[in-house]
């Protein structure tokens, strides 16, 4: 299923993911849903701006601050759309 | 019917639309009107600025933040006028 | 009667107008005066700035936000003076 | 009597004037002193800045916002000193 | 007595002065000390910055806003140190 | 064990360290954990920006302000991610 | 004893000093410790930035505002670290 949303300029559309914590031994412990996740998958990327070439690409798993971005509901799903500058890291 | 409004500089005139949510199977469920729509049709576009070439065009369906833009009533209809930079994505 | 006010830089002098709403059939319904008008006629235009060439001209009917500009009383009339960037659209 | 104050950079020294309202027929009605005047005579002008050439000159009657500038008492008189950018128009 | 303080960058060291008001006839009436003076003598000047060449010089009497600058006590005296841009005029 | 996080742009990932205070004689006294540490080890560094070349490198021990950065939990550990400009010094 | 801290960019590490007031006759009167000192010795200096060449050097006695800088405890001593732009003057 393709997603028909094109973020404008330097924006990135993210599908938030419940974080899983993986211990050193490899056992995966799903994090309790107490906190709004700060981790998500990039599902669409804008074309950037004259002074901002995009770094992240569709499929990247990214980390972002707790209050970053604007929530968007689209075709029954919840997304976050934010400027690439609000993305902290790629994991 | 043509609309006789010319947004200045990098502004865009938008006709807000009640969002419809379409499920994977294609069934359309009109969203209840609890929330101010964050989706609209572009009806007029400014000429841009020296450092801002316009991306959206008349007819585009766009998404924007809940509190973006200025409300304008013109010939019995309600519009929103906002800078293109406040538009989050084209759908 | 000529108006002897020269707005400085990128400012525009506007004579606010009570908005009229014209239906599709052409019938004109004067809007009740409940709201401060957001529509006016440009009566004087500044010379612009090095990085801002003026777009509006004397006689244009423009739309602006509810709280834009500074009120000025001059020769018994009320005007608004604002930067061109506060003008939303020409109608 | 010459005034020995040299405003710095893009500043202008203004002697506030009680506004007079002149009707179309030329009759002058002094405005009641209820409001702080927004009109004054330029009495001294700075040398400008690298990116700001001065427009107003000594003797110009100018309009400015109600809360613009810094009040200065000098040799028994009250003046306002403000950046040229706070001046709205020359009348 | 020389003053051994070198203001950094575009800063100016000022010795505040109780303002004297001189009437047209030349009689000097010392202003009561009700207000913090807005007038002082420049006692030291920084070297400026790449984009800011200094205008005032040691010995100039300057006017400044009521809340400008940082108070400094040095060798029993009170001074004000402020950026040149906070100085309103030279008198 | 390698850490699979790539900070974006001019960001740095830091593993906070409980500060040890070393006296002049060389005796190490672990600081009580009353305060959030302001000291950490750099564990990952972004690629910088066009106008910001990175200075710190992986392994550097850095000092930062008490409220700098965003906390991130990743694979059971707590990290801080901040812009390089929020790092005060390398020790 | 050498100090092993390297301030980043345009930052300066300062060892605050209790101010001494020296009268004209040369008698030194230690200031009571009522106020947080606004005077200190530069003990380490960053490399500056592309647009900011450092002016102060190690050993300079500098003056700074009451609330400038970030406090740092390092090897039993208290320091302040601040941007050079927060330093008011060299004495």
């Amino acid at each position: 299923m393709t997603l028909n949303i094109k973020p404008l300029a330097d924006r990135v559309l993210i599908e938030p993911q419940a974080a899983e914590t993986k211990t050193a031994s490899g056992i995966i412990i799903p994090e309790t849903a107490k906190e709004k996740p700060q981790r998500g998958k990039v599902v669409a990327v804008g074309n950037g701006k004259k002074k901002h070439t995009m770094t992240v690409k569709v499929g990247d798993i990214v980390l972002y601050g707790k209050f970053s971005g604007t929530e968007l509901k689209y075709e029954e799903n919840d997304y976050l759309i934010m400027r690439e500058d609000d993305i902290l890291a790629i994991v």
Side-chain angles (χ1 to χ4, degrees), chain A:
Chain A
M1 167 187 163
T2 51
L3 185 69
N4 194 23
I5 299 186
K6 183 64 186 175
L8 241 73
D10 57 337
R11 288 189 179 83
V12 175
L13 190 75
I14 291 170
E15 190 182 301
Q17 297 186 318
E20 296 173 320
T21 53
K22 194 167 60 171
T23 63
S25 59
I27 300 167
I28 292 170
I29 304 158
E31 206 172 274
T32 58
K34 278 173 228 152
E35 284 203 339
K36 185 175 149 190
Q38 292 179 254
R39 176 188 177 126
K41 191 164 76 174
V42 173
V43 291
V45 178
N47 288 330
K49 297 199 290 189
K50 241 177 248 182
K51 295 194 173 176
H52 185 107
T53 311
M54 302 306 277
T55 300
V56 303
K57 50 186 195 307
V58 171
D60 280 351
I61 304 301
V62 295
L63 304 177
Y64 46 85
K66 280 179 197 176
F67 306 107
S68 297
T70 298
E71 298 181 4
L72 276 182
K73 197 185 228 0
Y74 187 73
E75 299 193 358
E76 301 283 280
N77 296 310
D78 294 309
Y79 297 100
L80 274 174
I81 190 159
M82 62 184 73
R83 297 188 175 275
E84 191 183 70
D85 200 48
D86 290 331
I87 295 178
L88 303 171
I90 303 173
V91 294

